[in-house]
Amino acid sequence: MKKILPFILASTFIFQMSAQNWRKDTGAARNPAYKSGSPAINPANSEKSAPKAALSEGYVFSSFDMVRLGPDTAHGEQYSVYTIGEGNQSYTATIWITPFELNRTETTYEFWQKIRVQAEKRGYVFASKGQEGSEGKYGAAPTESGKFQPVTKISWYDAVVWCNALSEISGLQPAYTFNGKVLRDSTDSLSLDQCVCDFEGEGYRLPTEAEWEFAARKTKAGFQSGALFSGQVDITGRKDPSFPEDELAWTASNTDRTHLVGTAGTPFTPDAPPAPGSGNPNGSGLFDMSGNVLEFCWDWMASYIELPAGSRSTGPEFGSQRISRGGSCSKYTPFAYAGDRYSFDPNENYDYMGFRIARTVK
């Protein structure tokens, strides 16, 4: 049965959130010392800002920027092992991660639109055309000011079919099939609910929940707690809960809308918006793993289970709701810790739901 709100949401929490003195999305709101016209950098008086996790000097933003994660196979590592749900869930499990790539940012509307238009010319069908963030015009051409907003108003079905289109356009074998047939129609929910994913192939796909949490919690020093925002660590990658949450994520505590990808933590004024990719990344160099938009994962919702050593965790074969992770800017999905979980009917779409792409590395 379809559910309008995520199953995890508690009405009492909504009441508590609505009673807060929410700080809205201006540089001055997040940094009282910030003055209009100041450079778009993190507060100079904070040692807990960009220097501890910033990307290397010379970083150039791209909507399509895959980051390699997992074991260091060059030095003989076969798996990266961690405990999913640690510090956040009442049930946990040991997870064995093999090499994979994850996009540095959530899928932007510009990237989505470019692939969607090409895909439709190849016969692909999308139930939803998407929009720029939470305030864009549905199905419209990307705008100069909003093209790097995350795509929203798409379903899990749309995201899966789009991944297949990206693979095909890139000359790769699409990952999602049903009875051996590549899925190219997001309105075919019956086939999509029974589809299989080729995790051994190199086609683009959604991350598994295990891969997503690995990417959200991995640091230079190991793994951060699941009870912190992704990236709430110091420059060595060690836990630092004093790192301001508002400098790591766009959530209902500091905004009421989506923002350009990778801008959390960048002071700005309405007439001088920040550049995409100018904010604070997490310990793996990824942006917005907490907040901005919820991100679809492959798995059906279920409790974690222990698997044999070396087995890939992909969740149950069947279910009723697909996992989403990361929280968002919406008051309806306020839980944004690295270990927090949501689940939705795969046909649902909202203006605070999006995705990022993954791919297996050989």
Side-chain angles (χ1 to χ4, degrees):
M1 180 175 67
K2 296 182 180 179
K3 297 184 179 181
I4 302 302
L5 297 180
F7 85 104
I8 178 176
L9 188 60
S11 58
T12 54
F13 191 89
I14 297 177
F15 175 81
Q16 291 168 359
M17 290 292 289
S18 64
Q20 289 181 4
N21 180 21
W22 288 357
R23 289 164 289 176
K24 298 306 178 184
D25 51 347
T26 63
R30 286 180 285 108
N31 174 21
Y34 177 77
K35 293 180 170 44
S36 177
S38 297
I41 57 175
N42 288 280
N45 63 349
S46 173
E47 295 180 356
K48 296 177 170 56
S49 298
K52 58 167 56 176
L55 300 180
S56 60
E57 193 171 341
Y59 163 71
V60 178
F61 170 79
S62 171
S63 290
F64 192 10
D65 184 10
M66 303 296 283
V67 177
R68 191 187 189 284
L69 299 165
D72 184 0
T73 54
H75 290 84
E77 292 182 6
Q78 188 175 5
Y79 304 102
S80 288
V81 183
Y82 81 104
T83 302
I84 195 169
E86 187 174 38
N88 181 271
Q89 300 294 323
S90 59
Y91 42 86
T92 63
T94 302
I95 296 295
W96 304 74
I97 293 291
T98 52
F100 71 102
E101 293 177 334
L102 193 64
N103 206 41
R104 194 178 300 277
T105 67
E106 296 156 339
T107 303
T108 64
Y109 184 71
E110 179 190 54
F111 190 19
W112 160 270
Q113 179 82 341
K114 177 181 178 180
I115 298 302
R116 182 184 65 78
V117 170
Q118 292 184 52
E120 288 177 338
K121 293 177 180 178
R122 293 173 178 244
Y124 278 78
V125 176
F126 294 90
S128 174
K129 297 185 183 299
Q131 68 182 43
E132 290 179 341
S134 56
E135 300 185 324
K137 184 177 180 181
Y138 177 79
T143 64
E144 193 59 35
S145 62
K147 63 184 178 181
F148 296 130
Q149 284 271 350
V151 63
T152 65
K153 293 294 290 181
I154 59 166
S155 70
W156 185 94
Y157 297 139
D158 292 312
V160 163
V161 169
W162 188 90
C163 286
N164 271 358
L166 175 60
S167 297
E168 190 171 314
I169 291 168
S170 302
L172 300 171
Q173 181 64 32
Y176 298 106
T177 60
F178 175 63
N179 285 340
K181 179 183 177 181
V182 173
L183 297 174
R184 296 184 173 90
D185 183 353
S186 73
T187 68
D188 185 4
S189 59
L190 182 61
S191 295
L192 285 160
D193 281 340
Q194 301 175 82
C195 75
V196 295
C197 180
D198 180 10
F199 289 104
E200 299 303 319
E202 295 182 285
Y204 293 100
R205 55 179 175 79
L206 297 178
T208 65
E209 184 181 20
E211 289 171 333
W212 193 98
E213 184 166 323
F214 177 92
R217 292 178 50 204
K218 187 72 177 75
T219 71
K220 294 178 181 178
F223 292 91
Q224 70 165 77
S225 169
L228 296 170
F229 275 27
S230 180
Q232 206 169 0
V233 293
D234 63 22
I235 197 168
T236 68
R238 298 186 183 281
K239 181 173 67 174
D240 185 358
S242 67
F243 194 110
E245 292 180 351
D246 282 356
E247 291 190 17
L248 288 168
W250 293 116
T251 68
S253 71
N254 62 4
T255 189
D256 58 4
R257 69 202 70 180
T258 61
H259 288 259
L260 301 181
V261 297
T263 57
T266 305
F268 68 97
T269 57
D271 58 345
S278 62
N280 288 321
N282 74 355
S284 296
L286 307 173
F287 293 107
D288 299 318
M289 292 296 282
S290 286
N292 212 23
V293 293
L294 272 175
E295 300 180 14
F296 299 130
C297 293
W298 159 256
D299 309 44
W300 292 106
M301 179 64 183
S303 298
Y304 302 132
I305 59 172
E306 291 287 344
L307 296 172
S311 298
R312 186 192 302 274
S313 177
T314 59
E317 186 176 358
F318 300 107
S320 61
Q321 295 183 324
R322 297 281 185 174
I323 290 288
S324 290
R325 286 297 211 110
S328 78
C329 61
S330 170
K331 65 182 181 181
Y332 298 115
T333 54
F335 304 110
Y337 287 158
D340 286 334
R341 314 175 77 198
Y342 292 83
S343 68
F344 294 83
D345 184 300
N347 197 47
E348 292 182 77
N349 71 79
Y350 301 109
D351 63 6
Y352 51 83
M353 298 177 78
F355 71 106
R356 76 177 72 212
I357 54 175
R359 190 165 75 105
T360 301
V361 174
K362 295 295 186 179

